[in-house]
Amino acid sequence: MRRRMLRWLFPLAVVLALAGCGADDHGLPSLGGGASASADTLEAKARNFFDCLRAAELPAVFNEESSASPAWVSWEDGASVLWMLPGGSGGGSGNTSDSDIDGFFNRDYENSYALLVDGVDQSEVFAACHESTGYDEDEIWGSSGGKADPSLTRAIVDAANEWAACARENGWPTVKDAVTPVAQDQSESPMALLPPSITEDQLRQLLAVCPSFDAERDSANTALVESWDGSGGAIPDGYKPPPSIGFDYPGFDGKSWPSGPLEEAAEVRLGKLQEIIYEALSGYWEDAENSVSASADDAKPE
């Protein structure tokens, strides 16, 4: 099975939710590319999909349409959820570890629906709700309501290029800057691009000098979001996302997934390098999850 990489650039509403909640999500539906539809139709599909899942007693959450995003469906914070759509895109939320995600996406069901909720297979219900309501994540985030906000795109590009400049100053002069997408439909994710020839040891050495994640920056982002009134664009002034880093290779460069198959050895090797890029971020989320769990255990009556 070809594993489609989990993206670390999320739809806007999810970016801000993560900034406020820290450890709740590890991956989300892939961005953009679907056919446009009216907001009313998309909202109705999302509502019907939510109602269908809730009727099956699944922990779905309906997110109202806003100026920043269309209506969409997510999962309750307390639930451990992994899902996949036909074609291999999908994600995980809640208390899902990297090993849980890897095991789930390495299973051979790329051409079918899959859903695990707290370890229970709910794929049949998931497929039925998707197909009966017409809900489609790509359509949602590719709709007019899901267009990339210029302020968010600019922040992503700036953060990536700040990192790229550091990389060039520290032994990697061919690292490419992120480029602002011409199409603002979220079908492309701006990324600083490393040469695909970089080794794991070389990448770790580079990240020691030019980190891919800054906990202090994350805390500052959280404070900004918590005090933000939602005005002035898609993100609060001063919000700085982590750098978006990829490789100058099809499928790892922030562009739409290639229509043809990737060379398997390169995909495996670059996939491991991509995991290294986000080790610090993943570790931060896992530490936050463990801290929340420990606090909850301490609060239990003896």
Side-chain angles (χ1 to χ4, degrees):
M1 166 187 165
R2 186 196 77 195
R3 174 181 169 183
R4 185 169 184 171
M5 63 179 175
L6 290 177
R7 298 187 184 274
W8 296 88
L9 286 175
F10 310 121
L12 169 64
V14 179
V15 170
L16 298 184
L18 288 180
C21 301
D24 289 340
D25 284 271
H26 290 280
L28 293 134
S30 58
L31 300 181
S36 297
S38 72
D40 289 343
T41 300
L42 293 177
E43 183 170 5
K45 290 178 180 179
R47 174 64 73 179
N48 290 338
F49 181 57
F50 164 77
D51 289 341
C52 183
L53 294 174
R54 294 300 296 187
E57 299 184 348
L58 296 180
V61 173
F62 181 78
N63 301 276
E64 298 282 353
E65 180 185 355
S66 70
S67 60
S69 71
W72 60 290
V73 177
S74 60
W75 305 98
E76 293 178 357
D77 290 344
S80 174
V81 183
L82 291 162
W83 70 94
M84 184 184 289
L85 303 174
S89 63
S93 68
N95 188 25
T96 51
S97 67
D98 288 344
S99 60
D100 291 334
I101 293 173
D102 287 340
F104 180 79
F105 277 85
N106 283 329
R107 293 170 61 182
D108 189 16
Y109 41 31
E110 182 175 353
N111 294 316
S112 63
Y113 292 93
L115 175 68
L116 291 180
V117 179
D118 295 328
V120 178
D121 191 336
Q122 300 285 359
S123 303
E124 186 174 346
V125 172
F126 186 55
C129 290
H130 248 277
E131 292 174 352
S132 65
T133 63
Y135 180 79
D136 181 351
E137 283 87 345
D138 284 348
E139 182 184 31
I140 292 291
W141 297 110
S143 70
S144 59
K147 286 183 179 177
D149 186 283
S151 61
L152 176 60
T153 301
R154 184 168 55 252
I156 291 171
V157 170
D158 288 347
N161 291 347
E162 179 182 316
W163 187 90
C166 179
R168 287 193 292 269
E169 292 168 0
N170 286 278
W172 293 91
T174 61
V175 171
K176 294 182 178 179
D177 278 341
V179 177
T180 302
V182 174
Q184 292 295 303
D185 59 1
Q186 301 193 57
S187 60
E188 295 184 8
S189 302
M191 291 182 173
L193 299 180
L194 286 160
S197 60
I198 192 170
T199 67
E200 292 184 19
D201 286 344
Q202 289 171 333
L203 179 58
R204 290 185 188 280
Q205 292 172 18
L206 176 58
L207 292 175
V209 181
C210 304
S212 59
F213 176 71
D214 184 337
E216 291 186 3
R217 177 185 291 190
D218 183 83
S219 296
N221 285 341
T222 299
L224 286 170
V225 171
E226 288 177 346
S227 61
W228 183 43
D229 63 5
S231 63
I235 54 175
D237 289 340
Y239 185 95
K240 296 182 67 176
S244 174
I245 307 165
F247 300 92
D248 194 12
Y249 192 90
F252 292 85
D253 56 2
K255 306 292 178 62
S256 300
W257 196 263
S259 57
L262 297 180
E263 198 279 315
E264 184 175 359
E267 182 178 8
V268 170
R269 191 177 68 81
L270 293 175
K272 290 180 179 178
L273 291 173
Q274 194 171 54
E275 290 175 2
I276 290 173
I277 290 173
Y278 295 104
E279 275 181 354
L281 178 61
S282 297
Y284 178 80
W285 279 345
E286 289 178 4
D287 288 345
E289 288 172 355
N290 292 335
S291 177
V292 171
S293 298
S295 299
D297 289 341
D298 291 342
K300 291 179 181 177
E302 297 182 358

